Amino acid sequence: MPNLRSGKNKKAWRPGNKGGVLGALWNIGRQKYTIMLVPHSEKQTIHFQVTFFTVFFVGIILLALLTGFLWISLDFSDKEVLLASRSRDLSKTEASLDSVRDEVGQLVVSADVFKESVNNAIGILEFDENANNPTTQGGDLSSLLSIKQSGQGTLTEITDLKALRVTLENSTSALENISSILVGQKDLLSDIPTRWPLKGVNGWTTQVFGPSIHPIRKHWYLHRGLDLAFLYGTPIVSTANGKVVKIDYDPQGFGLYIDIQHNYGFKTRYAHLQRQLVELGQPVLRGDVIGTMGNSGQSTGAHLHYEVMIGTQLVDPIKFLNMAKTNSPTQQVLSKLQRYQ
């Protein structure tokens, strides 16, 4: 019987000791191969032995390195494409930012003009801006140059916009004062004859205030009002708030006419009417229809003869008509007056 304790009959286990596929693979892997490097000179030939396992593992390592290199190359290409896209986006953003900067610069200029216009209006209206307008305490646009950036890296344009907002907010008080004055002016214009006397139309100015040749008698005389021609039946309106103080008919002169008394000593006359649509003593408002255009009295066609008096003094109606408007029929009349200068 073999001696189990001594171990003399015990053999170490190796994969090649057994048959089968594993044993065959182990034997193949252990086989040695000689690689010879033969130089083209007389130097000694270099040769070394490697096993199949060595070649296999070196091949795996080289394949892993190649795979890693390809993966890094592809990833780098993707990053390069992404970087190029971000660069294009950045260029577009910079172009947009340049446009924003230009707009902010134009806004600053416009706001400067606005501030100057407000100051001019304040000067014309002659009220104390300093008492009610805090813009004189560092809120004007000149302070844009002295305002420090609110934080590191903050765009100058952001600071400019903040300063503009402060300026506009501080201008509110002055604009409120101007608004109140304009409201008072509007009330004033409602009480003096500033409205065009024809409703909805301008008509044609056939004769202005001043020396002229009488259309019927053919001699020089002082024309005391403004003649406006249009169609029969054109509505005639009161040019200011007032009260009807006279309704009469003068067959050799004004024909059917109406006199209205206004505040501040103003009185207006509307002559050569077709119809009189108000009554004596009736209060009227600016723009109320009081009659229609006609050809009554001494007249050569349908027209309105319109007069303005302050007390007993006749004045040129053009001085008051549509004072509240810059683009008005008054401008057309003034252009016609140039030929009389």
Side-chain angles (χ1 to χ4, degrees), residues 24-159:
L25 292 176
W26 176 257
N27 291 330
I28 293 173
R30 291 183 60 195
Q31 291 180 1
K32 295 183 178 180
Y33 299 89
T34 301
I35 298 176
M36 300 181 64
L37 301 177
V38 181
H40 291 281
S41 61
E42 296 179 355
K43 293 181 179 181
Q44 186 178 0
T45 302
I46 301 173
H47 62 277
F48 55 90
Q49 293 182 346
V50 293
T51 63
F52 180 79
F53 286 139
T54 303
V55 175
F56 178 75
F57 286 118
V58 170
I60 291 177
I61 293 173
L62 291 176
L63 181 62
L65 291 175
L66 179 61
T67 303
F69 176 76
L70 291 176
W71 182 83
I72 293 174
S73 298
L74 292 176
D75 185 67
F76 179 77
S77 299
D78 292 339
K79 292 293 190 296
E80 189 175 16
V81 172
L82 181 61
L83 181 61
S85 176
R86 292 292 185 269
S87 178
R88 289 192 296 269
D89 293 341
L90 180 59
S91 299
K92 294 180 180 179
T93 303
E94 289 178 348
S96 300
L97 184 59
D98 289 338
S99 299
V100 171
R101 286 172 176 167
D102 292 340
E103 292 296 331
V104 171
Q106 295 178 7
L107 180 60
V108 170
V109 174
S110 300
D112 198 7
V113 174
F114 167 76
K115 177 64 177 178
E116 183 178 358
S117 299
V118 171
N119 290 336
N120 290 338
I122 291 171
I124 293 173
L125 297 176
E126 295 182 351
F127 66 85
D128 187 7
E129 178 192 10
N130 297 331
N132 299 313
N133 186 10
T135 58
T136 57
Q137 302 175 2
D140 57 354
L141 294 181
S142 61
S143 61
L144 289 177
L145 300 177
S146 60
I147 292 180
K148 296 182 178 179
Q149 293 184 348
S150 57
Q152 186 176 3
T154 302
L155 293 176
T156 305
E157 288 73 18
I158 300 299
T159 306

Side-chain angles (χ1 to χ4, degrees), residues 80-336:
E80 189 175 16
V81 172
L82 181 61
L83 181 61
S85 176
R86 292 292 185 269
S87 178
R88 289 192 296 269
D89 293 341
L90 180 59
S91 299
K92 294 180 180 179
T93 303
E94 289 178 348
S96 300
L97 184 59
D98 289 338
S99 299
V100 171
R101 286 172 176 167
D102 292 340
E103 292 296 331
V104 171
Q106 295 178 7
L107 180 60
V108 170
V109 174
S110 300
D112 198 7
V113 174
F114 167 76
K115 177 64 177 178
E116 183 178 358
S117 299
V118 171
N119 290 336
N120 290 338
I122 291 171
I124 293 173
L125 297 176
E126 295 182 351
F127 66 85
D128 187 7
E129 178 192 10
N130 297 331
N132 299 313
N133 186 10
T135 58
T136 57
Q137 302 175 2
D140 57 354
L141 294 181
S142 61
S143 61
L144 289 177
L145 300 177
S146 60
I147 292 180
K148 296 182 178 179
Q149 293 184 348
S150 57
Q152 186 176 3
T154 302
L155 293 176
T156 305
E157 288 73 18
I158 300 299
T159 306
D160 291 346
L161 290 176
K162 290 181 180 179
L164 288 176
R165 177 180 58 80
V166 173
T167 298
L168 295 178
E169 289 177 353
N170 290 339
S171 298
T172 302
S173 177
L175 292 177
E176 289 177 352
N177 290 332
I178 294 174
S179 177
S180 62
I181 290 177
L182 292 179
V183 170
Q185 183 188 36
K186 181 180 178 181
D187 295 338
L188 175 63
L189 293 179
S190 297
D191 289 332
I192 62 177
T194 58
R195 195 193 191 284
W196 196 252
L198 306 185
K199 183 177 181 179
V201 296
N202 294 335
W204 300 282
T205 303
T206 56
Q207 202 165 3
V208 295
F209 182 90
S212 181
I213 297 178
H214 198 283
I216 298 177
R217 299 173 185 173
K218 306 300 181 183
H219 61 77
W220 283 94
Y221 80 114
L222 178 63
H223 189 251
R224 307 191 307 173
L226 179 68
D227 286 353
L228 302 173
F230 205 68
L231 302 177
Y232 278 97
T234 299
I236 307 301
V237 299
S238 174
T239 56
N241 299 337
K243 180 180 179 181
V244 178
V245 294
K246 190 173 185 179
I247 298 178
D248 205 349
Y249 174 67
D250 178 12
Q252 299 301 319
F254 292 128
L256 294 172
Y257 69 94
I258 299 171
D259 287 352
I260 299 179
Q261 185 69 49
H262 309 281
N263 290 335
Y264 312 112
F266 285 95
K267 186 166 71 172
T268 54
R269 174 167 291 179
Y270 312 81
H272 303 298
L273 301 178
Q274 179 190 42
R275 295 176 58 195
Q276 298 159 316
L277 301 179
V278 291
E279 298 178 356
L280 186 64
Q282 176 181 335
V284 293
L285 297 177
R286 184 175 185 266
D288 285 350
V289 176
I290 59 174
T292 57
M293 182 179 292
N295 190 31
S296 60
Q298 200 172 54
S299 173
T300 58
H303 75 287
L304 169 69
H305 175 81
Y306 174 68
E307 294 182 359
V308 175
M309 290 169 280
I310 301 180
T312 59
Q313 181 67 39
L314 285 165
V315 295
D316 189 351
I318 294 176
K319 295 180 179 180
F320 302 97
L321 283 176
N322 287 342
M323 290 171 56
K325 299 180 181 179
T326 56
N327 185 16
S328 66
T330 305
Q331 302 301 322
Q332 302 176 13
V333 175
L334 293 176
S335 64
K336 294 179 181 293

